[in-house]
Every structure is written in C-alpha cells, then in structure tokens.
Amino acid sequence: MNHRGTIAFLLALGILLISRPVVAHHGTSAFYEMNHPITMKGTVTEFAWSNPHVQIFFDVKDDQGNVVRWGCETLSPGRLARSGWSKSALKPGDQITVTVSPSKRGLPLGALRKIVLANGKELGLQEMPEY
Amino acid sequence: MRNPFTRLIAVLAGGLVLSSLALAQQLGETKTKAAPPAPSHDLTGIWEFFTQLPGQGIYATPSKQAPPMTPWAQERFAAMRPGYGPRITTDSNDPILRCDPVGIPRALFYPQPFEIVPTPDRVFMFFERDHLYRPIWLNRRDHPQDLSPMWVGDSVGWWEKDTFVVDTVGFNDRSWLDFYGYPHSEEMHLVERYQRTDLNTLKLNFTVEDPKAFTKPWVSDTKIYKLLPKNKAFLEELFCVPEEEEAFGNRFRKPGIGGESK
C-alpha cells in the first residue's frame, strides 16, 4: 500500500470508528471507563434485584490468588426483565464470566456489559425487540 | 482506477458502506419488518423511548441546541450539576437522586416505558419511572384558573386530523426540564404533538414556551417511541424509594465520587 493508499485506508477507518453510535447509559460515563471493558471470571456472592439499579457482587481471584470482591451495577429491574432476566437469573455460588466497564478510580466496581453463565447462556442488556 | 484521487473516493465510499452495515447490525436493524398501519385516533399501548433507535432524537434533552436563557434561568442552570451531558459530573445534585418526581416533560424522553390508556373523557399516561401518571382531559380546552403548581401540570388534549395535541400549564419550577440541568419556571407552557405513524411507532414533537426561563420557544427534535410486543409489554413497580437510593448510593455512587462507602 503506497502513501496515498495508507491515508485513504486510515480515513475510511476513521469514518468507521466515528460512525458508531454513542448510547447513553445512565450517566455512568463519569464513573466508569465505558470504552475499556474488562472481562473476569468470578463467583456470585449477592444478586440485588432492586431499584434504582440491579447490583451484582462477585468474588474474583487476582494473579496472586487473593480474592477481590467486585460489584457491578446495571439497568433497573423492569428494563432487565424486558431484556430476558428475572430475579432468579443469578444466585450466590454461580460461576460467571462478567464483562464490565470498570471504575475510573480503579475500584473493584463497574457498569455491567454482559454475563456468561457456566452453561454458556448469556445475560445481556438487549431490551429493544426487533421491529 | 489509476487516479489516486478516484481510489481515495472509492475507499471512502467503501468505508461508508461498511460503516452503515456495522451500524445497522449493531442496532439490530437488519431484520426490520414493515409494520401494519396505525389504527385511527388510538394511541393505546405500552410505549418505550429507545435511545439507540435509528432516527431517534437526542437522548436526555429536547434538542441539541437550547434557546438563549434569561438571567433568571442562567443563575439556576449554573447551580445545577447534572449526571448527563456536556456538564456531566459524578457529584450530581439532580433532584431525582433525592426522589423528587421526574416531572413533565422530562418523563417523556426517559428511557423507560409508559402506557397510554384512553377513556371517554381523559387519556391517561402511566409512566414506569416513579409510577407517575398524568390525566389529559378531553372534555375541555381551557385550563382552570389559579392552578396549584404541579409536577405534571394540567393537561388538555384533542385530535387535529391524525395528530393528538396536548396542551399543558400549571407546572411547579422544582423539576429539571431535562437531564442536562436546564430549568423551567411556573410559567412553562408545553405543547406536545403525537403522531402514530404505524402500528408500532409513535412520534412526538413538542414546544416549551417559558418566557421567564428562555428568550425563545424551545422546539424539540422528533422523539420516537416503539410499541412493546406482548412479551415485553409491562411496567415494573419503579418507585423511587429513598432507602433504596441511599443503599445504592453508598455502594456505588459515593465510592465513585470518592466519598465514604458504608
């Protein structure tokens, strides 16, 4: 690829990137790194199906084998119910793979992106049906 | 295609096509079906404002450009610390965080559903957020004199061809007009115009006239609502309960700000 080709490619890539919609998520962009999600494996310790936002707490082992308790927040119970969740979607002891937008302050807190259960079932945040 | 400029244009065009495809896929737009036509003069159903809907107006405020504010409104606006938009902060003083009702018109562009229930003399709107409701009176065009200031105001409605018009006054000045912290006064006059463009689609354009707060009327962009299908057509009990707000705040908001976590 010559010089002009490289510029053209980068310009096209730029268009691709800036065309992605920015979806507001409960004003959490001030608290969390929305563009840098991380994925962890953990064990559920608490599933709080409550307003204003459902909360999930889970233990994660770090590289040294220390257990760190993480917490993540997500949609309201109504919006989660319309995304296919229920108050019994998770229970303490469940093994989960969690993707969150982590705290900007480096705390073990995050805004939930998705959860994958041990059986492979995915719990996402797709509330809007197909039209 | 030897001309480098032509090649550049071709690559850019390709990028645009790919971008559109990626966007459509992300929005689940690829399986869009043609909806049946709208029933006449009937807005019955549970509707939701999906922020990611193609063609949706801006989330969280009437339109991108607010009209110039009066000095009265500028002073209020400066004191408001929103959790959304260009002035976003973790240390918000948004009144809904202390469980004040979200109010009208803000409830109209809240990403949570509302149900429209027509009766012979009123159309009711029931909002999931706050379990808020508003009656829209069909049997009168005038507003009562000496209204007590209200969170949802006094609303009257009528049909103009295929448009349901709602005219509201009698607001208090305690709610924020939007998520960005724009204020309104007790003089606010809100006119909403609803059009059901097909069975599943409801569109709203509204105008805020508030000479105490804005030097010109604020004309919204078009807000689009979708009818929820049967398996999603329900409203949860979403009261704002101070105890629940405090518990959530202690676990997430305060640590995020840098305050103490209980």
Side-chain angles (χ1 to χ4, degrees):
Chain A
M1 197 180 284
N2 61 24
H3 186 60
R4 282 178 187 273
T6 306
I7 291 173
F9 174 74
L10 290 175
L11 278 170
L13 187 67
I15 288 171
L16 271 171
L17 292 175
I18 62 175
S19 300
R20 292 173 67 85
V22 178
V23 178
H25 180 74
H26 287 232
T28 47
S29 60
F31 287 98
Y32 304 109
E33 297 281 5
M34 301 306 286
N35 295 322
H36 301 284
I38 59 171
T39 299
M40 299 166 279
K41 287 184 183 298
T43 305
V44 175
T45 60
E46 182 184 347
F47 181 43
W49 184 259
S50 88
N51 288 316
H53 302 293
V54 171
Q55 303 143 51
I56 302 150
F57 295 88
F58 51 98
D59 284 346
V60 177
K61 274 189 184 169
D62 67 14
D63 295 341
Q64 284 76 44
N66 302 312
V67 173
V68 178
R69 177 145 306 168
W70 274 77
C72 67
E73 58 160 303
T74 183
L75 305 175
S76 65
R79 295 189 68 191
L80 270 195
R82 288 184 291 274
S83 305
W85 294 52
S86 73
K87 66 180 174 57
S88 56
L90 293 170
K91 63 182 185 306
D94 284 351
Q95 302 296 308
I96 55 173
T97 303
V98 193
T99 302
V100 302
S101 299
S103 159
K104 284 185 173 176
R105 300 190 64 236
L107 302 167
L109 295 173
L112 181 67
R113 306 285 285 257
K114 71 171 183 179
I115 284 178
V116 180
L117 303 176
N119 64 8
K121 185 184 174 188
E122 185 173 314
L123 295 171
L125 307 174
Q126 299 298 324
E127 187 191 7
M128 191 174 87
E130 291 173 0
Y131 286 101
Chain B
M1 211 185 283
R2 287 181 184 173
N3 183 339
F5 183 71
T6 311
R7 195 163 53 194
L8 173 69
I9 296 296
V11 173
L12 286 175
L16 273 174
V17 170
L18 280 172
S19 174
S20 304
L21 286 174
L23 185 66
Q25 205 164 23
Q26 185 165 354
L27 298 173
E29 197 186 358
T30 48
K31 293 183 182 173
T32 298
K33 294 164 273 192
S40 178
H41 289 193
D42 185 5
L43 307 182
T44 304
I46 298 184
W47 302 89
E48 184 152 1
F49 178 79
F50 290 113
T51 58
Q52 71 271 41
L53 201 64
Q56 180 62 280
I58 190 171
Y59 164 59
T61 190
S63 72
K64 278 186 179 171
Q65 189 61 53
M69 283 181 280
T70 62
W72 178 87
Q74 284 171 17
E75 188 178 338
R76 287 196 155 205
F77 185 66
M80 293 168 178
R81 302 193 304 274
Y84 303 81
R87 302 191 302 151
I88 189 169
T89 173
T90 54
D91 188 22
S92 173
N93 60 0
D94 191 327
I96 68 172
L97 295 178
R98 57 173 186 263
C99 287
D100 278 5
V102 65
I104 301 288
R106 187 173 171 185
L108 301 174
F109 41 90
Y110 211 96
Q112 250 142 2
F114 58 80
E115 181 164 15
I116 296 181
V117 180
T119 71
D121 62 356
R122 277 168 290 179
V123 170
F124 287 97
M125 293 178 79
F126 297 96
F127 296 86
E128 182 174 72
R129 170 76 205 188
D130 292 344
H131 250 47
L132 190 76
Y133 85 96
R134 69 188 295 218
I136 300 162
W137 291 88
L138 303 174
N139 56 1
R140 58 177 165 86
R141 284 288 184 98
D142 298 325
H143 299 285
Q145 299 295 311
D146 298 325
L147 284 165
S148 297
M150 289 174 275
W151 298 95
V152 300
D154 179 77
S155 300
V156 295
W158 63 89
W159 285 93
E160 288 179 2
K161 294 184 179 174
D162 62 345
T163 302
F164 185 58
V165 183
V166 183
D167 185 293
T168 308
V169 298
F171 292 101
N172 68 32
D173 62 2
R174 297 168 64 188
S175 60
W176 288 6
L177 194 150
D178 67 355
F179 291 73
Y180 290 1
Y182 282 101
H184 66 81
S185 78
E186 293 184 1
E187 294 178 20
M188 179 165 69
H189 174 210
L190 176 68
V191 178
E192 300 149 74
R193 300 179 69 83
Y194 293 90
Q195 285 185 307
R196 189 171 186 173
T197 53
D198 64 40
L199 182 72
N200 296 330
T201 307
L202 181 64
K203 294 184 176 177
L204 165 66
N205 290 278
F206 63 89
T207 303
V208 173
E209 289 179 315
D210 188 345
K212 186 173 176 182
F214 299 102
T215 59
K216 289 192 297 189
W218 194 346
V219 180
S220 80
D221 56 21
T222 302
K223 309 301 183 193
I224 306 172
Y225 309 91
K226 285 292 187 181
L227 187 70
L228 292 180
K230 275 186 180 174
N231 66 331
K232 293 175 187 262
F234 54 87
L235 303 182
E236 284 280 316
E237 190 180 77
L238 180 43
F239 287 106
C240 190
V241 179
E243 188 181 18
E244 290 177 341
E245 282 288 331
E246 187 182 2
F248 177 78
N250 286 337
R251 288 179 127 177
F252 288 90
R253 291 197 183 106
K254 283 183 184 173
I257 297 166
E260 289 181 7
S261 177
K262 285 179 186 174

